[in-house]
Amino acid sequence: MRIATWNVNSIRTRVGRVVDYLVRDDIDVLAMQEIKCRPDQFPVAAFEDAGYQVVAHGLNQWNGVAFASRHKMTDITTAFDGMPGFGKAVKGQETVQGTDPNGLPQEARALGVTIGELRLWSLYVPNGRSLDNPHYEYKLEWLQALRQQMHAWLAADPHLPLALMGDWNIAPTAADMGDPAFIPGASTHVSERERAEFAQFTDTLTDVVRPHQPHGYSFWDYQAAKFERNLGMRIDFILGSDSFTDAVTNGYIAAEEREGAGPSDHVPVVCDLDLDLLEAAWEEEDSPMLWA
């Protein structure tokens, strides 16, 4: 099974490019971020014509997450427990979207699906904007809540093949940041607190693509010919639990998708899974222990 994540930066603008890529690179499951539309506005027909089912979670022209899959998707979840909201509490807002315990509207930034035994999440982590912006604290609170949920999921099922995929808006190491506009200690994406939050995820989960492609970026800003100058950053990741990681046989960043007319500023990040390895691991766990 080939699984990818891609911040498509408006699916209605780039539906042709996305569907063409899915077919050309033989993608089985795609997690999308920043779809920028409601489910009723999503160009589902183009995906269905190519053999994909779609589930989408979007509330307006901002944010939004989705999955396209050749396989049946179940247990569809549009938020994780404790996910904070952002903005101002509005009376009656809950009729349009969810609210957090403080009554703040939850944005369309998380979508979970189950495919076979796999539990997959498409995540669009808040940007943060600037270190003195309320969005920065929101970003950190959002990550902390997600991490608490990740630990709860794995405590309930230590062998769960879980993947948290998407645009994390964090460059975890100096090697992941090649855009001089972002200054450690002064900019989001590279601040000490953001990197510390990401590191707490990778204490438990594994960046399944990095062992197969240690270097390379997944985002290049549209301005100042940054793609042509390779002034990018690595901020899109597939983080897998032990069971998920053990089944990964390959991983790569499809940087060529930043080329051509009308690209997203992000590119797909992809991993291959051998599902037989998952089944073999479960059979081994279930087998009785023999003593000599």
Side-chain angles (χ1 to χ4, degrees):
M1 178 180 286
R2 180 163 287 174
I3 296 175
T5 181
W6 192 1
N7 179 323
V8 297
N9 192 5
S10 180
I11 188 57
R12 289 179 289 178
T13 299
R14 275 170 262 281
V15 57
R17 284 194 63 127
V18 173
V19 173
D20 175 73
Y21 170 73
L22 288 176
V23 174
R24 179 164 31 87
D25 210 20
D26 196 24
I27 302 297
D28 293 294
V29 181
L30 175 66
M32 289 171 272
Q33 302 84 44
E34 209 171 352
I35 61 171
K36 295 184 177 180
C37 68
R38 302 186 308 269
D40 63 292
Q41 298 171 317
F42 196 102
V44 172
F47 286 83
E48 291 180 340
D49 289 346
Y52 292 86
Q53 305 171 35
V54 171
V55 295
H57 175 44
L59 299 166
N60 47 43
Q61 72 273 30
W62 309 111
N63 310 319
V65 282
F67 275 98
S69 173
R70 289 170 169 165
H71 307 278
K72 182 179 180 181
M73 294 177 279
T74 61
D75 302 324
I76 297 166
T77 311
T78 57
F80 52 84
D81 289 348
M83 189 175 85
F86 184 76
K88 296 181 179 180
V90 179
K91 185 177 181 180
Q93 184 69 40
E94 64 274 5
T95 64
V96 179
Q97 65 192 96
T99 57
D100 72 4
N102 296 317
L104 301 180
Q106 293 175 322
E107 298 176 310
R109 293 184 175 274
L111 179 63
V113 300
T114 296
I115 298 175
E117 300 297 332
L118 303 174
R119 184 60 176 168
L120 308 177
W121 282 85
S122 179
L123 303 168
Y124 183 33
V125 175
N127 178 281
R129 299 177 183 170
S130 66
L131 301 189
D132 59 354
N133 192 296
H135 210 259
Y136 179 72
E137 294 299 328
Y138 165 55
K139 178 179 189 174
L140 296 173
E141 291 170 5
W142 201 94
L143 287 165
Q144 290 160 7
L146 175 62
R147 177 163 44 84
Q148 291 174 359
Q149 269 300 286
M150 177 264 295
H151 284 302
W153 293 327
L154 293 177
D157 182 0
H159 304 300
L160 178 67
L162 169 71
L164 305 184
M165 310 186 288
D167 177 1
W168 290 75
N169 272 316
I170 299 171
T173 73
D176 298 324
M177 176 54 73
D179 187 338
F182 290 79
I183 303 169
S187 305
T188 60
H189 296 59
V190 292
S191 73
E192 182 177 343
R193 293 175 68 190
E194 289 165 291
R195 285 176 164 173
E197 283 295 333
F198 191 89
Q200 291 190 73
F201 280 94
T202 53
D203 283 344
T204 300
L205 306 177
T206 299
D207 176 354
V208 301
V209 173
R210 196 180 296 269
H212 302 278
Q213 185 169 343
H215 308 292
Y217 302 134
S218 64
F219 168 90
W220 297 261
D221 193 276
Y222 290 124
Q223 305 299 317
K226 289 189 177 181
F227 177 67
E228 291 75 11
R229 298 161 64 197
N230 200 30
L231 303 179
M233 57 182 85
R234 189 175 189 146
I235 57 175
D236 301 88
F237 299 95
I238 302 173
L239 303 186
S241 65
D242 289 346
S243 294
F244 184 93
T245 301
D246 288 346
V248 173
T249 60
N250 191 29
Y252 57 94
I253 300 172
E256 66 278 4
E257 294 306 311
R258 186 61 172 77
E259 300 171 351
S264 171
D265 42 8
H266 296 251
V267 297
V269 175
V270 188
C271 72
D272 291 329
L273 275 73
D274 184 343
L275 298 183
D276 289 340
L277 294 177
L278 279 178
E279 294 177 4
W282 292 327
E283 289 172 0
E284 183 176 337
E285 290 162 5
D286 292 338
S287 62
M289 183 174 291
L290 301 178
W291 298 94

